[in-house]
Amino acid sequence: MKSTPRFLCFLLVCLLLPHGAAAVELIDPRHAKERGAGDGAAVKLVSMEFEAVGSDPRAKQRAKDLHKEFLTRIQELRGRTVVSFVHPPGEKVDHFRKLAQGVAKREQAQMVLWGSILVDSDGTFLIRSRMMLNPPPPGVRTEYLKSPQIGAAGGTTVRGMIDAPVTQSRLDFGTMDNEILALVQFVSGVLRYYEATARAGGDAVPWLKGSIADFQSYLEVTSEKMDRSALSQARLYIARAYVRLADAEPAHAAEHLAAGGKEAGKAASLNPYTPDAPTLQAVISARTHVAFDQVEFYLARAARLAPTDANARVNLALVQSAQGKYADALHQLDQAAWVQQLQNQTPPPALLSLRQHLAAFGKTAQRTQSD
Amino acid sequence: MDQASETFWSSITGSSPLLNDYSSFSYLFLGIPLIVGAAILVGMHVMRRIQGDEGLARGAVVAASGVLILAFGLFAASVFTLFSSERTRTDFIAHHQPPPGEHWLQVFDFTLPADWSEERRQRYQELTGDLVAAMSEVLSEDLPSEFGPSRVLHIRDDENPWRDPVDEKNFAAVMDELHASQIMWGKIGQRDNVLTAFLGISPRIANGLDTVVPLYGFSLSDNPRLDQQFGDAYYHLLGLVSLGIALDNYQRAQQSAGEERRRLFLLAAQQFIGARELANNRRNDTVLQKTLYSSQVDDMLDDALNQSGR
């Protein structure tokens, strides 16, 4: 099952009780700390020499050349730490993914890249690349304030949040022919995005724009037939960068969010199975004041695509409570607590406390309506 | 070996399939004439003795007894062989059933054209070894951990305890005995040397999906790793094996009760979606459209989500 180590990174709910009752505020103790590489730490990438599949010496030579070429191109990123890893000659590797994880852990690198090369009968070099992000860079999030309509009886104002983390920690690229330029652009885009998330305000702007430019270059040279899933990921990173740009450049927020919304929509079409796309669409919709029904629709879709992700369910529960759908919200919170227990995690007290308050509001709302 | 010797030896070894054909008769069918023949012989002998004759000639009795003993010996040997092959099969099944929670894909040797030389058969064995190794590598490297442990097992013809090679006719019975969810077999075209592989999905878990999925054909002159690790077969393998795991859990959920039922439906739902995401790059592929992206899987996914509480 998909783990949710980032569950409830932030949960801030301020519920103003109807009829002038006392305000209740629940604050997740972790909310002030953003996840991921952050904290100004330098981003580190381990680049492993690709495995030459088969005995063709051309593949071995090409693997060495590509490794050098990749390092040369990626080193152009000023100030980055790139670690080169070459397997000792003659050593048989049973499991490249495990090896890559081990090397990345030892080097304390957030990114690790490896892959394999095969020469086909026409002499074309077929390249398959893999990348792991540990931890993935921070995603985006948004707060909202919503007063649902509960008729004449008044309303309950909910200050909630939609958390849209990057849940994809592994990227298995489709087969590339001969060239690795596209791969360099993708990796560079992720690197710059990581860097941007470690900076605040205007300092992040050049990194975000650089990341968008890298991913745009990737989109230009990669076809949908070749790698639909990676294209979707690239567009998701672009959309996240635009959302962050909207914060960094408030004067251009509307245009950045519009651009981000388009990219997230295209990402959802390219990969209709990734929950990251609808969650991001919900964030952008909430920020552009789209009808809350639409926000709820996106979050319900995300929860459906990630049924074992408690975070997705809490996002949905809060929006449902803001819509006055207390029973649905309670159900989602119960499901969130249940999936956490299945993953041997203890539901945080903030979640349990929120559940109690929602249950109380549900009863109050029912009484108010029947009165 | 000269031509004459080769013809001689091939005529000797060629009789084996003929004997095999006869051995497929039931033991009742073989045993009844033996018993009836013996009864008639003894009856005639006894009747003649009762009637005051000397019975059958001593030579005839000895010769007939010899034939009967030989026939009985052969019959006993056949029965012993039957028990022995049953035991071999039982042992094989015991060693080739996946432990609970593991998913195995058993790849049976493909059926080869009868006129292939030993050299070509040897070459085929090497290619099959490469094919299975490539498949194992794909699953061990790229199947996400949420699908649990999985293995690809190559079952050579000389290990296969079933009388006939696995094909579309007997795969369901073989899977049933092995408690397997998915197996693979194939055949090599007599003329074009193209290998056509089939994936069998156990009727126990298929839930309306086709139980025989024709996969692909590749020339034996190709490197099997090319398609398995760099081509469409990569997505077929990942998508269909992950679907098999999801189907297995969905079926287990249907047979469970209480909290375990809900948990397994949740797991199956996550795996159906995960399998679709894995093969997203080839979601319009014909094979995957009929299986992983079919309306039957849509229905199972909806049901699994509902049963797990939405």
Side-chain angles (χ1 to χ4, degrees):
Chain A
M1 270 183 211
K2 189 176 280 189
S3 72
T4 53
R6 309 173 193 88
F7 174 69
L8 276 181
C9 163
F10 173 92
L11 179 61
L12 170 65
V13 179
C14 178
L15 300 159
L16 301 175
L17 288 168
H19 310 299
V24 178
E25 193 174 66
L26 300 172
I27 302 174
D28 187 300
R30 295 162 294 177
H31 104 264
K33 188 174 183 289
E34 198 174 37
R35 289 175 285 212
D39 306 332
V43 182
K44 205 169 175 184
L45 161 73
V46 174
S47 171
M48 298 174 71
E49 187 179 288
F50 282 23
E51 176 209 11
V53 176
S55 53
D56 194 323
R58 290 177 299 172
K60 287 194 170 67
Q61 189 54 49
R62 185 67 180 143
K64 286 186 195 305
D65 293 346
L66 280 183
H67 187 61
K68 281 183 199 155
E69 188 185 333
F70 181 83
L71 290 174
T72 308
R73 288 179 187 249
I74 210 81
Q75 288 290 8
E76 288 167 9
L77 284 171
R78 193 161 34 90
R80 302 289 64 74
T81 310
V82 181
V83 178
S84 161
F85 180 87
V86 179
H87 331 285
E91 187 178 290
K92 188 173 171 354
V93 179
D94 289 331
H95 202 293
F96 279 92
R97 193 174 291 273
K98 278 185 189 159
L99 175 71
Q101 278 174 316
V103 174
K105 193 175 174 188
R106 196 173 65 226
E107 295 290 340
Q108 295 184 309
Q110 295 91 341
M111 302 169 70
V112 57
L113 180 78
W114 73 101
S116 50
I117 296 178
L118 182 139
V119 191
D120 73 6
S121 52
D122 301 332
T124 307
F125 292 100
L126 304 174
I127 304 162
R128 275 196 79 93
S129 328
R130 305 275 178 273
M131 187 160 73
M132 283 195 78
L133 310 176
N134 187 26
V140 294
R141 58 194 188 187
T142 191
E143 291 173 34
Y144 57 86
L145 190 68
K146 178 77 171 75
S147 301
Q149 44 188 10
I150 309 194
T156 303
T157 301
V158 175
R159 185 184 293 276
M161 135 166 284
I162 303 168
D163 185 21
V166 177
T167 64
Q168 201 85 14
S169 60
R170 52 183 275 177
L171 291 143
D172 295 352
F173 294 92
T175 302
M176 297 172 183
D177 290 353
N178 294 318
E179 287 299 322
I180 55 159
L181 176 64
L183 181 64
V184 173
Q185 285 160 342
F186 193 103
V187 174
S188 173
V190 179
L191 263 168
R192 289 184 204 272
Y193 181 83
Y194 261 110
E195 289 289 346
T197 59
R199 290 164 171 77
D203 288 349
V205 171
W207 293 101
L208 291 169
K209 289 186 173 170
S211 174
I212 291 171
D214 282 337
F215 281 120
Q216 294 286 14
S217 304
Y218 173 79
L219 297 180
E220 282 166 20
V221 294
T222 308
S223 71
E224 202 174 307
K225 192 182 166 198
M226 197 170 124
D227 202 343
R228 200 180 271 138
S229 293
L231 282 173
S232 170
Q233 286 299 317
R235 290 196 182 275
L236 283 175
Y237 275 103
I238 294 174
R240 291 181 191 113
Y242 274 124
V243 173
R244 285 179 172 268
L245 270 180
D247 290 334
E249 297 180 329
H252 301 286
E255 59 194 91
H256 289 321
L257 289 173
K262 276 186 192 162
E263 295 294 338
K266 286 177 186 170
S269 306
L270 285 163
N271 184 356
Y273 311 104
T274 175
D276 287 11
T279 314
L280 197 48
Q281 285 177 296
V283 166
I284 295 168
S285 299
R287 291 193 62 166
T288 48
H289 309 294
V290 170
F292 246 59
D293 285 347
Q294 188 63 30
V295 176
E296 186 187 344
F297 169 81
Y298 287 134
L299 292 177
R301 175 151 188 76
R304 181 188 156 85
L305 291 172
T308 56
D309 185 351
N311 190 48
R313 292 183 182 277
V314 174
N315 280 339
L316 177 59
L318 287 173
V319 166
Q320 286 173 329
S321 65
Q323 299 270 78
K325 298 174 181 173
Y326 295 113
D328 292 343
L330 280 172
H331 175 69
Q332 287 304 330
L333 287 183
D334 288 342
Q335 289 286 98
W338 177 56
V339 297
Q340 283 207 302
Q341 281 163 357
L342 289 178
Q343 292 157 10
N344 297 321
Q345 294 170 19
T346 311
L351 175 64
L352 302 174
S353 174
L354 174 64
R355 195 204 175 284
Q356 283 175 354
H357 288 294
L358 273 177
F361 286 130
K363 281 179 188 164
T364 310
Q366 265 183 345
R367 273 203 304 272
T368 311
Q369 279 177 333
S370 60
D371 289 347
Chain B
M1 201 184 288
D2 61 26
Q3 184 71 33
S5 309
E6 202 168 335
T7 311
F8 171 75
W9 284 113
S10 69
S11 69
I12 298 288
T13 51
S15 64
S16 171
L18 189 70
L19 290 176
N20 269 344
D21 284 347
Y22 283 110
S23 71
S24 63
F25 289 136
S26 78
Y27 284 88
L28 193 66
F29 185 82
L30 290 171
I32 285 175
L34 179 68
I35 295 164
V36 171
I40 291 171
L41 198 61
V42 171
M44 280 175 68
H45 181 68
V46 171
M47 284 295 288
R48 285 197 176 196
R49 297 282 293 204
I50 291 169
Q51 287 168 359
D53 293 343
E54 287 188 358
L56 296 177
R58 184 181 295 265
V61 171
V62 169
S65 303
V67 170
L68 277 176
I69 289 166
L70 182 66
F72 181 76
L74 285 172
F75 180 76
S78 299
V79 172
F80 176 77
T81 308
L82 173 73
F83 281 117
S84 166
S85 67
E86 272 303 312
R87 188 169 175 180
T88 308
R89 190 152 92 176
T90 311
D91 287 350
F92 177 87
I93 288 167
H95 285 97
H96 288 80
Q97 278 184 342
E102 269 195 40
H103 184 86
W104 289 4
L105 173 63
Q106 280 121 329
V107 181
F108 284 81
D109 252 344
F110 302 118
T111 310
L112 304 180
D115 60 353
W116 268 24
S117 65
E118 192 51 41
E119 191 184 340
R120 291 184 84 176
R121 285 171 188 270
Q122 190 60 41
R123 172 77 187 122
Y124 155 79
Q125 285 295 347
E126 286 166 16
L127 283 166
T128 318
D130 281 353
L131 176 71
V132 173
M135 290 165 70
S136 296
E137 202 173 308
V138 167
L139 292 187
S140 86
E141 290 279 344
D142 289 345
L143 189 69
S145 58
E146 71 198 46
F147 290 96
S150 64
R151 275 180 72 187
V152 181
L153 247 67
H154 180 198
I155 298 171
R156 293 172 183 277
D157 259 348
D158 52 10
E159 294 175 291
N160 181 357
W162 285 276
R163 189 185 301 278
D164 301 312
V166 174
D167 60 15
E168 294 91 318
K169 292 182 206 114
N170 64 358
F171 81 96
V174 169
M175 294 182 86
D176 197 36
E177 286 196 65
L178 282 174
H179 290 289
S181 303
Q182 292 181 318
I183 62 171
M184 194 187 276
W185 70 90
K187 52 190 171 196
I188 295 171
Q190 186 92 30
R191 288 185 190 163
D192 54 8
N193 285 340
V194 168
L195 189 156
T196 311
F198 298 90
L199 179 84
I201 300 176
S202 167
R204 176 174 55 86
I205 61 168
N207 262 302
L209 290 171
D210 285 348
T211 51
V212 178
V213 184
L215 285 178
Y216 49 83
F218 71 81
S219 167
L220 282 176
S221 56
D222 288 342
N223 179 350
R225 287 181 179 265
L226 181 73
D227 207 27
Q228 288 298 324
Q229 292 179 312
F230 296 84
D232 286 349
Y234 171 84
Y235 294 101
H236 288 167
L237 179 66
L238 268 187
L240 292 173
V241 166
S242 53
L243 171 65
I245 295 169
L247 288 172
D248 219 355
N249 282 317
Y250 181 75
Q251 191 256 349
R252 284 171 57 211
Q254 285 176 316
Q255 293 181 337
S256 303
E259 194 66 0
E260 180 66 357
R261 178 182 170 87
R262 202 171 147 219
R263 185 190 75 79
L264 284 170
F265 273 123
L266 180 74
L267 178 64
Q270 183 67 64
Q271 288 176 339
F272 280 129
I273 297 162
R276 285 181 162 186
E277 191 172 8
L278 271 179
N280 177 52
N281 276 348
R282 293 290 182 281
R283 68 172 188 250
N284 296 326
D285 173 275
T286 317
V287 169
L288 295 172
Q289 273 291 314
K290 284 184 182 166
T291 49
L292 185 56
Y293 299 101
S294 64
S295 57
Q296 289 95 328
V297 173
D298 285 343
D299 294 343
M300 282 185 262
L301 173 57
D302 276 344
D303 183 48
L305 286 168
N306 279 332
Q307 302 264 10
S308 65
R310 279 260 167 216

